[in-house]
Amino acid sequence: MTTTTTPRPGLAARLTALTKVVEVGAGRLDKKLLDEATALLQRAGERLKLSSEHTVVALAGGTGSGKSSLFNAISGLELSPTGVRRPTTGRTHACVWGLEGSAPLLDWLQIQWRHRFSRASALDKGDTQLNGLVLLDLPDHDSIRALTDTEADRLIGLADLVVWVLDPQKYADASTHRRYVTELAGHDAVTVFALNQADKLDTEELAELLIDLNDLLRREGVEHPSVVPTSAVTGRGVESLKSVIATAVSRRRAAIQKLEADLQRLEQRIAETMPLGEALSAPASVDEARRMGLTDALCDAVGVPAVGEAMENVYAERSSKWVGWPYPRWADRFRADPLKSLRLEDVSEEIRGITTGSVSAQSAEVANAVHALADGLSMNMHPVWRTAVQQAAKSRSKQLPKALTEDLAEVAPRLDHVPGWWWALKIWQYALVAAFMAGVVWLAAGLFMPGSLPPSLELLGDSATLPWVGLMMASVLGLGALSGIAARNFVELGASRERERLEREMRRRVAAVSATMVVEPVERELARHHTFYTALRDLSA
């Protein structure tokens, strides 16, 4: 019966974390590491779906190490051909203790049917501790035939436990140590070294060689090397090696340990490329203070304060036609027009011109504002991520000035709006003007035509009323002057409010445009950065 391997929760969580690293690290992490991580995830997924009752043990080694002879000695059968003058293992041979449920696993390993052997017979009663073992005799990894060399590398990566078969003459061979042993850091639990052909050495030579091999392996990163001296000819050490293999098989954990070691090794390499350090202290989003800072900088770049100031000035100048005391205003007609001197004849077009002109003229300041935001957010990031954040911030920088221009052009100052109190005050002031003119007529009639008026208008010529008329005229002038002063104060207050309204609306639009074209792309990159390093932290847990 075939069962599925159930990993401990830690492995499942770390594989999930690695999946996330691969997903969000594309384009940021070194492509070679991404490819290795993808291959590991695929290999782990496939292996964990296959039989957990079988442990794949590969015998690997160089030419002449006696690997096939040791394979036959462990299996107790002449299954793999051996050679005297040159290696004869061209294809991988497999011997299975407990064949049931092993077929999908052997298919995954791509072992040809004619090279599969089973130890499910009465001869195996003494080897029950090996039940579940899939023993592989690999082609020589240093073969001159590229096909076998590639197959050996592939199966070394797929095997749950690797037994490196070394011979006394080439135990320190550079091709083995440089290509494989130095990559075994953290794989101590799933790696065994068999020093074969021990029968060629006397006791003292063997002891010295074992010490030297252990020292060599430790220097190359194998902290706790497991070295077993063997001899396929005399059978020395074969039972010890079988005991080591049987222990791994009985625990049913070699596949998990191999994947954990592979994960650990890959995590270390990723961490060397992009150290975790204080990466998670980097912001995961753009905070409100930075949003406001960007909005302030862009408002300055597009000239919002200048537009607001112009709007305030225009409002004040327009109000003088409505709420100013008419007599001074009439006198101003004999002086130069202040609106013409300010070139504000067409106020609406002037305001629109100020707005659009500022955006196009200050595009460099827009770019500086965006660059400052990106620099502030990515200050403590890895250079790769810092560049990514800066590119995200600038991804739409060429369109940003135009977008600001078009959006702010829609902000129409209420230049044709006449407040109701302007109308009321104008009517009041012209009523005062009419009262003053009536007083002038009264005085003229009383002073220059006394006694000559018709009976119905005799009151106008009454000299006794003239002082009261004069007092009335003075009061009218005083009321007119006071209403003019009060109106100017109200005008200043209204102008200030209009400026605030215009600047608030423009600022709102600038904030909306910057949020869409700058903040959102940056936040996507910040979230990606945070997700990547969170996954890397979980991977290393």
Side-chain angles (χ1 to χ4, degrees):
M1 178 179 177
T2 303
T3 59
T4 301
T5 302
T6 303
R8 62 186 178 93
L11 178 60
R14 293 178 68 194
L15 287 173
T16 300
L18 182 60
T19 301
K20 185 61 68 174
V21 167
V22 171
E23 178 184 336
V24 300
R28 307 290 179 267
L29 194 60
D30 180 72
K31 187 178 184 301
K32 182 179 179 181
L33 286 176
L34 282 175
D35 291 342
E36 291 182 16
T38 302
L40 175 55
L41 287 170
Q42 180 179 357
R43 183 168 73 249
E46 293 171 349
R47 181 63 184 95
L48 293 175
K49 292 177 183 177
L50 298 170
S51 174
S52 64
E53 300 300 317
H54 290 85
T55 301
V56 180
V57 178
L59 298 181
T63 304
S65 62
K67 176 170 43 61
S68 296
S69 298
L70 192 59
F71 175 83
N72 293 335
I74 295 174
S75 63
L77 299 171
E78 290 294 325
L79 301 177
S80 185
T82 60
V84 177
R85 295 186 179 180
R86 64 184 182 89
T88 58
T89 307
R91 291 289 183 178
T92 301
H93 293 71
C95 184
V96 183
W97 280 256
L99 196 60
E100 183 181 2
S102 65
L105 181 59
L106 292 170
D107 290 341
W108 178 64
L109 295 170
Q110 300 178 21
I111 307 300
Q112 296 179 0
W113 279 96
R114 66 177 181 273
H115 295 146
R116 300 180 185 182
F117 307 96
S118 173
R119 285 302 308 261
S121 69
L123 296 174
D124 303 314
K125 292 182 179 179
D127 281 343
T128 55
Q129 74 275 19
L130 293 178
N131 189 48
L133 170 63
V134 178
L135 185 65
L136 304 180
D137 179 21
L138 305 186
D140 303 325
H141 69 76
D142 56 356
S143 171
I144 61 174
R145 290 179 293 182
L147 177 63
T148 59
D149 193 34
T150 302
E151 183 174 4
D153 287 348
R154 180 179 64 83
L155 290 171
I156 287 171
L158 296 179
D160 301 328
L161 185 148
V162 178
V163 177
W164 285 98
V165 182
L166 307 174
D167 66 86
Q169 286 77 30
K170 297 192 296 181
Y171 71 92
D173 181 57
S175 65
T176 299
H177 289 263
R178 183 174 61 251
R179 292 176 57 188
Y180 302 103
V181 178
T182 54
E183 298 295 322
L184 295 177
H187 289 68
D188 299 18
V190 289
T191 306
V192 178
F193 297 89
L195 183 59
N196 200 26
Q197 302 177 14
D199 57 289
K200 296 181 179 181
L201 304 172
D202 58 35
T203 303
E204 185 176 346
E205 289 174 333
L206 179 59
E208 291 180 358
L209 194 148
L210 287 173
I211 293 173
D212 185 58
L213 177 57
N214 275 276
D215 290 342
L216 177 62
L217 293 174
R218 289 191 183 93
R219 288 196 301 270
E220 293 179 339
V222 184
E223 295 183 6
H224 305 287
S226 176
V227 181
V228 181
T230 60
S231 173
V233 176
T234 65
R236 177 181 178 180
V238 173
E239 289 302 319
S240 297
L241 181 58
K242 289 174 66 174
S243 178
V244 172
I245 295 174
T247 300
V249 171
S250 63
R251 290 177 179 174
R252 302 288 192 268
R253 278 196 39 79
I256 302 299
Q257 289 176 318
K258 174 65 179 302
L259 291 175
E260 289 176 338
D262 289 344
L263 272 173
Q264 180 67 22
R265 177 68 176 172
L266 183 62
E267 181 273 325
Q268 290 175 350
R269 294 179 61 192
I270 294 175
E272 290 174 0
T273 303
M274 290 187 174
L276 181 60
E278 300 298 323
L280 287 176
S281 64
S285 62
V286 182
D287 57 85
E288 190 61 29
R290 284 193 171 91
R291 286 173 181 263
M292 293 179 63
L294 176 63
T295 301
D296 290 340
L298 291 179
C299 284
D300 290 339
V302 300
V304 169
V307 174
E309 183 178 358
M311 175 65 193
E312 187 174 17
N313 292 335
V314 167
Y315 185 96
E317 290 297 336
R318 288 186 65 249
S319 67
S320 63
K321 296 181 179 180
W322 291 84
V323 301
W325 182 226
Y327 292 114
R329 187 170 67 249
W330 292 337
D332 288 340
R333 291 182 178 178
F334 298 99
R335 298 197 302 266
D337 189 348
L339 293 180
K340 291 184 178 180
S341 66
L342 292 174
R343 295 187 301 172
L344 294 173
E345 299 91 345
D346 189 341
V347 178
S348 178
E349 289 301 318
E350 184 70 14
I351 292 294
R352 192 174 301 277
I354 293 174
T355 305
T356 57
S358 296
V359 173
S360 60
Q362 303 299 327
S363 57
E365 292 188 19
V366 172
N368 290 337
V370 172
H371 185 75
L373 175 72
D375 275 356
L377 291 167
S378 62
M379 185 180 302
N380 298 320
M381 290 184 180
H382 186 280
V384 171
W385 289 100
R386 186 184 309 129
T387 300
V389 171
Q390 292 172 347
Q391 289 177 344
K394 299 174 183 177
S395 60
R396 303 181 67 183
S397 59
K398 291 183 179 180
Q399 296 82 29
L400 183 57
K402 182 179 178 181
L404 289 170
T405 300
E406 293 175 350
D407 207 58
L408 292 180
E410 298 176 2
V411 181
R414 296 184 296 180
L415 301 176
D416 56 349
H417 174 66
V418 178
W421 69 272
W422 285 18
W423 283 101
L425 185 60
K426 189 169 187 176
I427 293 171
W428 163 253
Q429 288 178 331
Y430 275 96
L432 292 178
V433 169
F436 182 80
M437 294 305 297
V440 170
V441 172
W442 195 308
L443 283 178
L447 292 176
F448 300 107
M449 294 182 293
S452 60
L453 295 174
S456 59
L457 299 176
E458 288 181 355
L459 184 62
L460 292 178
D462 188 355
S463 59
T465 63
L466 295 183
W468 296 104
V469 172
L471 180 61
M472 180 272 292
M473 294 176 63
S475 298
V476 166
L477 290 175
L479 285 173
L482 288 175
S483 64
I485 293 172
R488 298 305 291 179
N489 291 334
F490 282 112
V491 164
E492 291 179 4
L493 181 61
S496 178
R497 287 178 177 176
E498 281 296 308
R499 175 177 182 172
E500 290 176 0
R501 182 200 65 79
L502 179 63
E503 290 186 355
R504 184 168 57 250
E505 175 62 15
M506 294 181 71
R507 181 180 178 85
R508 184 189 68 78
R509 288 175 176 262
V510 169
V513 172
S514 65
T516 301
M517 303 188 70
V518 180
V519 175
E520 288 181 7
V522 168
E523 285 198 322
R524 284 195 293 269
E525 196 61 40
L526 292 178
R528 185 176 179 179
H529 173 269
H530 186 77
T531 301
F532 177 86
Y533 278 101
T534 298
L536 188 58
R537 179 197 61 193
D538 295 341
L539 177 61
S540 61

